[in-house]
Amino acid sequence: AGILPWLRDFTDMPLGVYPNLGYLASHRWRFDERIGLDEYAALALEWREEGAQIVGGCCGTTPGHIAAAAKALAGTKPGRRRARENGHDRTSDLGGVVPETPPQPWLDDKGRTLFPLPFPELMVDPGVFVPTHGSYLLWKHLFLEGIGAGETCLDVGCGCGILSVQLGLNGAARVHAIDIDRNAVANTLANGFRNGVADRMTGEDVDLYQWEPTERFELIAASLYQMPVDPYEEPTGHRPLDYWGRSLLDHFVALLPHLLADGGRALVMQLSIVGQHRTAELLEKAGFNARVVDFAFFPFGPIFDANKEQIVRVEQLSDAFHLTPGGDDVMVAYLLEVTRDSAGTR
């Protein structure tokens, strides 16, 4: 449906249709017996209204189908009916306006339209970390739950600002965006301006390993880099060798008691390839509880493929894991909600 009037925009040649009644499945033709003579005749009239000048039939049609179509089409003229476009009723050369009821949009529980998705306007500057599946998982949770309204928020590892901007759109009182890359912080603040929330955003280039927090936040969002790396292949530097792929995550957990306000919560993305036991151990020691609020699947991609040997090594030595459906390497991205244990340390 709809192809005939589109073709007519490009040619004055005769247009014809000869549809199949069936389909090929597992090297065998399967006939569609639901389309009887009357149904085929009704379809033929629709094709005629769209502009068909020749109507026939291919695999699965019978002389009876063709005869029924010929009888229905006798005395008719080809039209040029178009499908509904841009909110306007389609028109037909056969009968003027063809009224249509606008389809109901897809909405979420809050009545917001989901198609197209109201995604923030984001530009990713050259060299700035592009959002990953884990970042999108956290963004989706912020969007669906409207989290952050009226709260002081911290975005750890802000990148281009996908989380900071959404927190601002959710009505956060203030969002402080930090990243080790100064250009990423600038990119985040610029995207805040693009989305009309820059007045509630601040930014700071921060190395978590050197940072001494002076403020606590009611909501923290963190989508941190996690990658097991063979230390023999990693250049020598001031950073700890990330054999287990979780050095940054562990250091962030150590900072949480100094960052999270009483009654606050942290939303933390963790990959399955770095294990759960160590995370649970560190959180419990610091006086926090964690629960999984969502999860998604995260294909390896080139960077993870390049470190696959080390990832497998870590999985053999810990509870880390990934999936291999059909031979494809896929990890799981978990979204954790971390809160203070009321009986734990402060």
Side-chain angles (χ1 to χ4, degrees), residues 258-277:
H258 310 286
L259 287 172
L260 194 61
D262 291 343
R265 52 184 164 165
L267 295 170
V268 183
M269 188 282 296
Q270 178 181 324
L271 299 178
S272 62
I273 59 170
V274 300
Q276 180 256 342
H277 290 170

mmCIF file of all heavy atoms in Angstrom, residues 258-277:
data_model
loop_
_atom_site.group_PDB
_atom_site.id
_atom_site.type_symbol
_atom_site.label_atom_id
_atom_site.label_comp_id
_atom_site.label_asym_id
_atom_site.label_seq_id
_atom_site.Cartn_x
_atom_site.Cartn_y
_atom_site.Cartn_z
ATOM 1 N N HIS A 258 31.604 10.041 51.081
ATOM 2 C CA HIS A 258 31.885 11.480 51.120
ATOM 3 C C HIS A 258 31.044 12.263 50.096
ATOM 4 O O HIS A 258 31.061 13.488 50.102
ATOM 5 C CB HIS A 258 33.365 11.728 50.845
ATOM 6 C CG HIS A 258 34.284 10.891 51.690
ATOM 7 N ND1 HIS A 258 34.497 11.130 53.030
ATOM 8 C CD2 HIS A 258 35.018 9.791 51.363
ATOM 9 C CE1 HIS A 258 35.329 10.224 53.507
ATOM 10 N NE2 HIS A 258 35.670 9.404 52.522
ATOM 11 N N LEU A 259 30.345 11.533 49.223
ATOM 12 C CA LEU A 259 29.605 12.183 48.136
ATOM 13 C C LEU A 259 28.098 12.140 48.320
ATOM 14 O O LEU A 259 27.385 13.069 47.920
ATOM 15 C CB LEU A 259 29.948 11.516 46.798
ATOM 16 C CG LEU A 259 31.320 11.801 46.196
ATOM 17 C CD1 LEU A 259 31.553 10.909 44.969
ATOM 18 C CD2 LEU A 259 31.424 13.267 45.786
ATOM 19 N N LEU A 260 27.582 11.046 48.884
ATOM 20 C CA LEU A 260 26.141 10.834 48.920
ATOM 21 C C LEU A 260 25.535 11.385 50.207
ATOM 22 O O LEU A 260 25.959 11.038 51.318
ATOM 23 C CB LEU A 260 25.826 9.339 48.795
ATOM 24 C CG LEU A 260 24.374 8.972 48.491
ATOM 25 C CD1 LEU A 260 23.930 9.570 47.157
ATOM 26 C CD2 LEU A 260 24.204 7.456 48.476
ATOM 27 N N ALA A 261 24.544 12.250 50.040
ATOM 28 C CA ALA A 261 23.867 12.838 51.195
ATOM 29 C C ALA A 261 23.008 11.786 51.891
ATOM 30 O O ALA A 261 22.594 10.794 51.289
ATOM 31 C CB ALA A 261 22.995 14.006 50.737
ATOM 32 N N ASP A 262 22.737 12.008 53.167
ATOM 33 C CA ASP A 262 21.832 11.121 53.901
ATOM 34 C C ASP A 262 20.476 11.111 53.198
ATOM 35 O O ASP A 262 19.918 12.164 52.869
ATOM 36 C CB ASP A 262 21.667 11.604 55.340
ATOM 37 C CG ASP A 262 22.945 11.441 56.151
ATOM 38 O OD1 ASP A 262 23.822 10.677 55.711
ATOM 39 O OD2 ASP A 262 23.057 12.086 57.215
ATOM 40 N N GLY A 263 19.952 9.928 52.980
ATOM 41 C CA GLY A 263 18.675 9.802 52.281
ATOM 42 C C GLY A 263 18.805 9.865 50.775
ATOM 43 O O GLY A 263 17.805 9.739 50.062
ATOM 44 N N GLY A 264 20.030 10.051 50.269
ATOM 45 C CA GLY A 264 20.234 10.133 48.824
ATOM 46 C C GLY A 264 20.423 8.760 48.203
ATOM 47 O O GLY A 264 20.399 7.722 48.881
ATOM 48 N N ARG A 265 20.616 8.756 46.901
ATOM 49 C CA ARG A 265 20.820 7.495 46.174
ATOM 50 C C ARG A 265 21.766 7.726 45.015
ATOM 51 O O ARG A 265 21.838 8.827 44.452
ATOM 52 C CB ARG A 265 19.494 6.941 45.674
ATOM 53 C CG ARG A 265 18.675 7.938 44.881
ATOM 54 C CD ARG A 265 17.336 7.390 44.488
ATOM 55 N NE ARG A 265 16.435 8.444 44.067
ATOM 56 C CZ ARG A 265 15.298 8.232 43.405
ATOM 57 N NH1 ARG A 265 14.934 7.009 43.100
ATOM 58 N NH2 ARG A 265 14.531 9.239 43.055
ATOM 59 N N ALA A 266 22.485 6.668 44.677
ATOM 60 C CA ALA A 266 23.385 6.705 43.529
ATOM 61 C C ALA A 266 22.934 5.663 42.522
ATOM 62 O O ALA A 266 22.613 4.528 42.889
ATOM 63 C CB ALA A 266 24.821 6.429 43.968
ATOM 64 N N LEU A 267 22.882 6.061 41.261
ATOM 65 C CA LEU A 267 22.565 5.145 40.176
ATOM 66 C C LEU A 267 23.873 4.820 39.466
ATOM 67 O O LEU A 267 24.502 5.700 38.886
ATOM 68 C CB LEU A 267 21.558 5.773 39.219
ATOM 69 C CG LEU A 267 20.178 6.036 39.816
ATOM 70 C CD1 LEU A 267 19.332 6.879 38.872
ATOM 71 C CD2 LEU A 267 19.467 4.717 40.127
ATOM 72 N N VAL A 268 24.272 3.553 39.514
ATOM 73 C CA VAL A 268 25.583 3.149 39.040
ATOM 74 C C VAL A 268 25.433 2.040 38.012
ATOM 75 O O VAL A 268 24.767 1.027 38.258
ATOM 76 C CB VAL A 268 26.470 2.652 40.211
ATOM 77 C CG1 VAL A 268 27.865 2.313 39.715
ATOM 78 C CG2 VAL A 268 26.512 3.686 41.327
ATOM 79 N N MET A 269 26.065 2.235 36.848
ATOM 80 C CA MET A 269 26.079 1.193 35.834
ATOM 81 C C MET A 269 27.285 0.299 36.045
ATOM 82 O O MET A 269 28.399 0.767 36.202
ATOM 83 C CB MET A 269 26.126 1.828 34.438
ATOM 84 C CG MET A 269 25.939 0.835 33.276
ATOM 85 S SD MET A 269 27.394 -0.170 32.851
ATOM 86 C CE MET A 269 28.553 1.087 32.310
ATOM 87 N N GLN A 270 27.052 -1.022 36.078
ATOM 88 C CA GLN A 270 28.153 -1.973 36.194
ATOM 89 C C GLN A 270 28.006 -3.069 35.148
ATOM 90 O O GLN A 270 26.918 -3.588 34.923
ATOM 91 C CB GLN A 270 28.220 -2.612 37.581
ATOM 92 C CG GLN A 270 29.369 -3.630 37.628
ATOM 93 C CD GLN A 270 29.513 -4.331 38.945
ATOM 94 O OE1 GLN A 270 29.302 -3.740 39.989
ATOM 95 N NE2 GLN A 270 29.893 -5.593 38.894
ATOM 96 N N LEU A 271 29.130 -3.438 34.538
ATOM 97 C CA LEU A 271 29.155 -4.498 33.534
ATOM 98 C C LEU A 271 29.384 -5.850 34.194
ATOM 99 O O LEU A 271 30.104 -5.971 35.196
ATOM 100 C CB LEU A 271 30.254 -4.228 32.508
ATOM 101 C CG LEU A 271 30.119 -2.926 31.703
ATOM 102 C CD1 LEU A 271 31.309 -2.768 30.763
ATOM 103 C CD2 LEU A 271 28.812 -2.901 30.921
ATOM 104 N N SER A 272 28.816 -6.881 33.591
ATOM 105 C CA SER A 272 28.943 -8.238 34.131
ATOM 106 C C SER A 272 30.372 -8.761 34.046
ATOM 107 O O SER A 272 30.744 -9.674 34.785
ATOM 108 C CB SER A 272 28.007 -9.189 33.391
ATOM 109 O OG SER A 272 28.336 -9.273 32.008
ATOM 110 N N ILE A 273 31.195 -8.187 33.165
ATOM 111 C CA ILE A 273 32.554 -8.708 32.963
ATOM 112 C C ILE A 273 33.517 -8.310 34.071
ATOM 113 O O ILE A 273 34.688 -8.697 34.031
ATOM 114 C CB ILE A 273 33.129 -8.246 31.601
ATOM 115 C CG1 ILE A 273 33.161 -6.725 31.514
ATOM 116 C CG2 ILE A 273 32.357 -8.863 30.455
ATOM 117 C CD1 ILE A 273 33.929 -6.188 30.327
ATOM 118 N N VAL A 274 33.052 -7.550 35.085
ATOM 119 C CA VAL A 274 33.924 -7.218 36.210
ATOM 120 C C VAL A 274 33.442 -7.842 37.517
ATOM 121 O O VAL A 274 34.072 -7.652 38.553
ATOM 122 C CB VAL A 274 34.087 -5.685 36.376
ATOM 123 C CG1 VAL A 274 34.698 -5.080 35.124
ATOM 124 C CG2 VAL A 274 32.775 -5.014 36.723
ATOM 125 N N GLY A 275 32.347 -8.581 37.494
ATOM 126 C CA GLY A 275 31.914 -9.340 38.652
ATOM 127 C C GLY A 275 31.068 -8.569 39.640
ATOM 128 O O GLY A 275 31.152 -7.346 39.743
ATOM 129 N N GLN A 276 30.260 -9.325 40.392
ATOM 130 C CA GLN A 276 29.334 -8.736 41.363
ATOM 131 C C GLN A 276 29.827 -8.830 42.801
ATOM 132 O O GLN A 276 29.584 -7.925 43.618
ATOM 133 C CB GLN A 276 27.966 -9.423 41.248
ATOM 134 C CG GLN A 276 26.908 -8.889 42.206
ATOM 135 C CD GLN A 276 26.647 -9.819 43.390
ATOM 136 O OE1 GLN A 276 26.997 -10.991 43.351
ATOM 137 N NE2 GLN A 276 26.037 -9.289 44.438
ATOM 138 N N HIS A 277 30.535 -9.895 43.129
ATOM 139 C CA HIS A 277 30.912 -10.128 44.526
ATOM 140 C C HIS A 277 31.735 -8.984 45.102
ATOM 141 O O HIS A 277 31.487 -8.527 46.223
ATOM 142 C CB HIS A 277 31.692 -11.446 44.647
ATOM 143 C CG HIS A 277 30.848 -12.657 44.436
ATOM 144 N ND1 HIS A 277 31.369 -13.931 44.310
ATOM 145 C CD2 HIS A 277 29.499 -12.796 44.330
ATOM 146 C CE1 HIS A 277 30.380 -14.788 44.135
ATOM 147 N NE2 HIS A 277 29.247 -14.129 44.139
#
